[in-house]
């Protein structure tokens, strides 16, 4: 996997369940230490840092987890939860600590008087706001958002999307937004990377990717997105992929997508297509595009 995330931008990472999106996200923020490769952050390879060095630099990159309930300690109050990064990094003390937590609560649309409540006293959307406030506490430059909306109702999802957008405008924070929901990713991302079985299949600017998807897998994913117009929805054609996602422990030879690809040809089981520029920064890993031959 090779992926660049620039300052202040949102990169959407999409793909079916089990394709490795969360593993990639965890490798980037070093919740999983990768066994090979590099994770460069502001010129430093995170994989080579000691635990102590990593703890220091971790102030600059944070995480919003998928399940807002599971990711909050039920014995902690909102004050303890949001203030934990401030305590660990000795960022503020005394009254400044309480003021910082109150400010963070306010920033994510919660009232400072809620600081003494426990997670079970908040709704699902409010809990995710707590998770976002905790991620923002140390003013990070990058946040890995691991399916932050999937446990929320649609109306609450919209509020959280808007909140993330507002916070990015205000603080210039970059997001890796992991999701299997292509409509949400289209709304929130500047660029989109499509993953399949542990590999990036396509990577492009958001508008380009949704207008002209090149990879057959992306074409199939996009064809399955519902269109909110009953006339168009009734007549659109959906590309149905046959078979199951193969095991990543025993991936198919050549292009890993070939057993399910509706455009596969004789070279596909033999040659691994490299992710290559197909023009204008649009990258694709498919042998149909001449640039991808090794
Ligand atoms: Fe399909 Fe072959 Fe392209 Fe893989 S390389 S996506 S199997 S056409």
């Amino acid at each position: 996997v090779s992926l660049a995330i620039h300052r202040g931008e949102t990169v959407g990472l999409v793909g079916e369940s089990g394709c490795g999106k969360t593993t990639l996200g965890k490798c980037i923020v070093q919740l999983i230490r990768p066994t090979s490769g590099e994770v460069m952050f502001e010129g430093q390879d995170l994989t080579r840092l000691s635990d102590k060095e990593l703890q220091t630099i971790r102030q600059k990159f944070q995480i919003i987890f998928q399940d807002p309930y599971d990711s909050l300690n039920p014995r902690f109050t909102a004050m303890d939860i949001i203030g934990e990064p401030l305590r660990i990094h000795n960022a503020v003390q005394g009254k400044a600590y309480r003021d910082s937590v109150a400010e963070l609560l306010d920033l994510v649309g919660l009232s400072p008087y809620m600081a003494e409540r426990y997670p079970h006293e908040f709704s699902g959307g409010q809990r995710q706001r707590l998770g976002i406030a905790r991620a923002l506490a140390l003013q990070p430059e990058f946040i890995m958002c691991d399916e932050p909306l999937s446990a929320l109702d649609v109306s609450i999802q919209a509020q959280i999307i808007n909140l993330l957008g507002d916070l990015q405008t205000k603080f210039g924070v970059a997001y890796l937004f992991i999701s299997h929901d292509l409509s949400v990713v289209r709304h929130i991302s500047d660029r989109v990377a499509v993953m399949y079985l542990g590999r990036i299949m396509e990577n492009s600017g958001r508008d380009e990717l949704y207008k002209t998807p090149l990879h057959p897998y992306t074409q199939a994913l996009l064809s399955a997105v519902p269109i909110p117009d009953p006339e168009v929805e009734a007549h659109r054609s959906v590309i149905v992929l046959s078979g199951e996602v193969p095991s990543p422990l025993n991936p198919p030879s050549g292009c890993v997508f070939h057993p399910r690809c509706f455009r596969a040809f004789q070279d596909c089981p033999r040659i691994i297509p490299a992710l290559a520029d197909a023009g204008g920064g649009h990258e694709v890993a498919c042998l149909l595009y001449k640039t991808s031959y090794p």
Side-chain angles (χ1 to χ4, degrees), residues 200-276:
I200 303 283
M201 293 292 168
E202 189 162 3
N203 182 12
S204 168
R206 184 247 334 249
D207 293 340
E208 168 75 9
L209 187 119
Y210 279 80
K211 200 165 128 229
T212 323
L214 297 180
H215 198 283
Y217 180 56
T218 313
Q219 291 167 0
L221 285 183
L222 290 182
S223 82
V225 176
I227 298 168
D229 177 337
E231 289 278 317
V232 183
E233 175 72 18
H235 298 105
R236 77 193 171 104
S237 55
V238 178
I239 302 168
V240 179
L241 295 177
S242 56
E244 296 291 318
V245 181
S247 164
L249 293 176
N250 186 21
S253 60
C255 172
V256 290
F257 186 53
H258 85 260
R260 302 177 75 200
C261 183
F262 53 94
R263 297 197 61 191
F265 57 103
Q266 72 277 9
D267 285 348
C268 299
R270 292 191 302 110
I271 302 173
I272 299 175
L275 188 67

Side-chain angles (χ1 to χ4, degrees), residues 69-242:
Y69 200 52
D70 275 358
S71 63
L72 305 177
N73 189 332
R75 292 163 189 258
F76 276 17
T77 62
M79 167 89 67
D80 299 332
I81 289 167
I82 297 173
E84 193 172 26
L86 300 171
R87 290 196 304 278
I88 289 174
H89 291 278
N90 270 326
V92 283
Q93 282 90 30
K95 183 174 178 305
Y97 171 80
R98 299 186 80 81
D99 290 347
S100 297
V101 171
E103 259 176 51
L104 285 159
L105 281 167
D106 188 48
L107 197 62
V108 297
L110 296 173
S111 299
Y113 75 81
M114 296 173 168
E116 297 306 327
R117 290 188 184 172
Y118 289 87
H120 72 271
E121 296 176 87
F122 290 90
S123 68
Q126 288 175 327
R127 280 182 214 131
Q128 196 54 296
R129 286 172 190 267
L130 285 181
I132 294 171
R134 176 176 59 186
L136 286 172
L138 296 166
Q139 300 176 353
E141 287 164 35
F142 168 66
I143 300 180
M144 193 270 279
C145 309
D146 184 10
E147 304 245 18
L149 309 176
S150 59
L152 305 177
D153 294 338
V154 174
S155 58
I156 308 295
Q157 288 184 8
Q159 293 174 14
I160 298 295
I161 289 172
N162 291 339
L163 175 62
L164 289 172
D166 291 347
L167 294 171
Q168 187 172 53
T169 308
K170 202 163 179 182
F171 300 114
V173 60
Y175 297 129
L176 175 67
F177 192 88
I178 297 174
S179 178
H180 58 268
D181 186 331
L182 282 121
S183 302
V184 168
V185 166
R186 181 178 199 165
H187 183 78
I188 202 167
S189 306
D190 300 302
R191 285 189 301 120
V192 179
V194 180
M195 236 180 136
Y196 182 79
L197 218 61
R199 290 170 183 269
I200 303 283
M201 293 292 168
E202 189 162 3
N203 182 12
S204 168
R206 184 247 334 249
D207 293 340
E208 168 75 9
L209 187 119
Y210 279 80
K211 200 165 128 229
T212 323
L214 297 180
H215 198 283
Y217 180 56
T218 313
Q219 291 167 0
L221 285 183
L222 290 182
S223 82
V225 176
I227 298 168
D229 177 337
E231 289 278 317
V232 183
E233 175 72 18
H235 298 105
R236 77 193 171 104
S237 55
V238 178
I239 302 168
V240 179
L241 295 177
S242 56

